[in-house]
Amino acid sequence: MDGDKHVLAVNNLTGRTLVLNRPQALNSLTLPMVQTIERHLKNWEHSELCNVVMLRSNSPKAFCAGGDVVQVSREWKSGNKAEAMKFFQTEYMVNHYIASYKKPVVAMLDGYTMGGGVGLSMHAAFRVASQSAVFAMPETKIGFFPDVGATFFLPRLDGHMGVYLGLTGQMLKGRDLLYSGIATHYVPSERHAMLEQRLQGLGSSDYDVVNDAIEEFVAQPEDGLMEYSLYHVREAIDRCFQHNSLESIIHALEEEKQHSNEHTSAWAQTTLDQLSRMSPSSLKLTLEQLRRGAQLNIQQAFALELGLAEKRLESHDMHEGIEALLVRKTNDPQWDPKSLEDVNVHEMNAGYFTAKYAYKPKFVHDQAAFSEYPHKYGLPSEKEIAALISGENPQAGNFRLTRDDVLQFYEREYGGKIGVKQKVGWVFDNLENN
């Protein structure tokens, strides 16, 4: 089976590793690969010999660059619609399975982690990024929408950053993944093999024990500084992407370009350029999807995505985007509608969000319908930090805390976790300066 050739299973002591092994396609997921992953996960979940499951790639270039949407598009256009939808149905089931897995799952991210690769990793309790890890959800560029559970996880990132990432397909690299909440740990790639060996011999399924083991391999930031590509534009992201229409977002970006400092002005122009290349209908669809996703539990999110995938396969733009960018590779998609003004939001909502869907999601753990991930081992969110600083968090007591008080609190709460000091200090300074 191609799935067994492209997904290798490694058994060592009490650790089990799934190794993505389709390097010529940057580990793009096929249906047989997803089915192989599902089969191994089911076997290992019930095995007393397995304590920890790991996911990694055999290629330093990519953990997984996405799903094989070229094949999906071909299946749909050839009339084999059920087979095309089976890919998404199975992929989303595996994504949800990882999110609700009964044992610790550790995804080790090296190289490109996009689309389907994000679905395999973002739902894992532990997400370990290296210096070469590159995250992106570029689906609007091919006329699709951010899927694989992005409806659930993007709205739960700091502020309006998830909407920004979902609309623009902006890449985040290395430590960006840690500070944004996409990764839980930062471990240089040269330590990944040692980390895998450590987890294989750990002999425990206790999440805190697994976390402590990973923490043994994390790397300190150079000079103790916060290496975050969004450092200077985080507030601008929230100012611009807080709006509920694309027209308002673009107007805010134009304002930002004209009236902000050098950093944010250049960022605003770059962002406008990014949005101008995306499918107009995908952009409006994605904004509505993510706004709704903030109120959905994880099963509802996947159910919505399956319905949207079905409707999107019926559209012109998805097939046109795939042809132009992934088949012809001319990067000249002819979108229809051609502009944001030509996309009627009311008609779009009726066609995508209130329509009946022919395909229903399947879940291995059909009782797992949480609204927040059950395990949190990343850095504290900006919202959590701000609540403590402002006194909204009861743990702050009746007094406004100083910078040192806040730092000491989080250092204690997170056991000296690397990255906490940098993020907490940054949030505190931002609040003090506004």
Side-chain angles (χ1 to χ4, degrees):
M1 288 178 60
D2 283 346
D4 290 332
K5 180 172 67 175
H6 294 147
V7 180
L8 309 178
V10 177
N11 299 351
N12 189 11
L13 301 176
T14 61
R16 301 292 182 267
T17 306
L18 289 169
V19 184
L20 302 179
N21 186 44
R22 197 186 175 211
Q24 72 280 6
L26 298 179
N27 290 330
S28 291
L29 294 173
T30 63
L31 178 58
M33 289 173 70
V34 178
Q35 290 170 328
T36 297
I37 292 169
E38 177 196 358
R39 186 178 78 248
H40 286 300
L41 287 177
K42 285 181 175 177
N43 290 339
W44 294 340
E45 187 174 35
H46 301 292
S47 170
E48 294 182 0
L49 301 177
C50 170
N51 286 325
V52 179
V53 173
M54 289 158 277
L55 293 162
R56 66 172 173 86
S57 165
N58 249 356
S59 168
K61 288 185 178 180
F63 171 74
C64 171
D68 192 347
V69 290
V70 172
Q71 181 60 31
V72 171
S73 177
R74 286 173 180 162
E75 294 280 7
W76 184 272
K77 289 191 293 186
S78 69
N80 198 356
K81 296 182 178 182
E83 191 68 13
M85 286 303 298
K86 186 177 180 181
F87 172 79
F88 290 119
Q89 194 174 46
T90 309
E91 183 183 31
Y92 299 170
M93 178 178 66
V94 168
N95 297 155
H96 179 269
Y97 192 20
I98 291 171
S100 58
Y101 206 63
K102 303 302 184 185
K103 294 177 180 179
V105 178
V106 182
M108 290 186 272
L109 311 181
D110 219 5
Y112 291 110
T113 305
M114 301 182 180
V118 175
L120 288 181
S121 57
M122 191 65 194
H123 304 291
F126 302 97
R127 308 174 297 279
V128 181
S130 76
Q131 72 277 13
S132 65
V134 179
F135 166 96
M137 293 296 289
E139 287 77 10
T140 57
K141 195 173 183 179
I142 60 166
F144 197 45
F145 64 92
D147 64 332
V148 296
T151 303
F152 185 78
F153 64 75
L154 284 181
R156 287 162 175 79
L157 295 180
D158 287 332
H160 296 280
M161 185 164 52
V163 174
Y164 165 63
L165 295 174
L167 291 176
T168 65
Q170 174 67 28
M171 291 183 178
L172 297 180
K173 302 177 182 179
R175 288 190 191 274
D176 288 346
L177 277 67
L178 176 66
Y179 292 124
S180 64
I182 291 160
T184 57
H185 300 78
Y186 175 84
V187 175
S189 55
E190 59 269 21
R191 302 182 189 178
H192 280 200
M194 293 184 291
L195 171 59
E196 184 177 357
Q197 291 176 355
R198 177 77 171 93
L199 294 175
Q200 286 169 339
L202 197 60
S204 175
S205 287
D206 185 288
Y207 284 80
D208 290 341
V209 172
V210 172
N211 181 62
D212 290 344
I214 299 172
E215 290 287 352
E216 295 171 12
F217 294 86
V218 299
Q220 286 276 7
E222 292 184 15
D223 302 320
L225 300 176
M226 187 174 183
E227 304 166 30
Y228 191 22
S229 67
L230 303 182
Y231 189 96
H232 295 290
V233 298
R234 265 296 294 117
E235 292 175 282
I237 287 172
D238 285 356
R239 284 196 297 270
C240 295
F241 286 87
Q242 66 180 311
H243 303 288
N244 290 323
S245 75
L246 260 299
E247 290 82 1
S248 296
I249 288 172
I250 287 173
H251 177 74
L253 287 166
E254 293 284 1
E255 289 288 308
E256 203 73 34
K257 185 176 70 170
Q258 298 296 328
H259 304 295
S260 292
N261 61 43
E262 182 180 348
H263 287 292
T264 54
S265 179
W267 165 82
Q269 182 59 62
T270 298
T271 304
L272 286 167
D273 291 343
Q274 289 173 313
L275 293 174
S276 71
R277 294 191 291 271
M278 307 307 185
S279 158
S281 59
S282 283
L283 289 175
K284 289 200 172 182
L285 174 65
T286 296
L287 181 59
E288 181 66 22
Q289 164 209 355
L290 297 182
R291 290 293 184 237
R292 292 180 182 232
Q295 308 302 321
L296 301 179
N297 67 42
I298 194 165
Q299 285 195 8
Q300 293 168 331
F302 279 116
L304 175 60
E305 288 183 1
L306 192 65
L308 296 182
E310 174 192 340
K311 297 302 178 183
R312 206 62 189 153
L313 280 166
E314 296 173 354
S315 75
H316 164 274
D317 277 9
M318 181 175 177
H319 302 288
E320 172 64 16
I322 290 169
E323 278 289 321
L325 276 80
L326 303 179
V327 180
R328 299 195 308 266
K329 299 185 178 179
T330 53
N331 293 335
D332 60 348
Q334 302 302 305
W335 303 124
D336 184 19
K338 295 182 180 297
S339 69
L340 290 170
E341 292 74 18
D342 293 332
V343 181
N344 185 302
V345 172
H346 298 295
E347 291 179 2
M348 181 196 71
N349 288 348
Y352 283 91
F353 294 98
T354 62
K356 291 185 177 180
Y357 306 134
Y359 299 88
K360 303 297 181 184
K362 297 179 180 179
F363 302 109
V364 177
H365 295 147
D366 56 10
Q367 298 302 309
F370 44 79
S371 296
E372 296 290 340
Y373 286 113
H375 306 289
K376 293 187 177 182
Y377 287 96
L379 300 181
S381 70
E382 293 173 15
K383 184 177 181 180
E384 290 169 338
I385 298 167
L388 185 73
I389 295 170
S390 67
E392 294 175 30
N393 184 331
Q395 291 177 286
N398 297 320
F399 303 99
R400 182 174 176 82
L401 301 181
T402 66
R403 191 178 197 277
D404 286 343
D405 291 334
V406 175
L407 287 172
Q408 288 173 14
F409 174 86
Y410 276 107
E411 287 279 290
R412 184 173 64 252
E413 285 291 302
Y414 283 77
K417 182 179 178 67
I418 292 174
V420 168
K421 179 179 178 181
Q422 287 76 17
K423 185 168 184 178
V424 171
W426 171 63
V427 173
F428 191 96
D429 291 343
N430 279 347
L431 290 174
E432 286 290 290
N433 294 331
N434 290 325

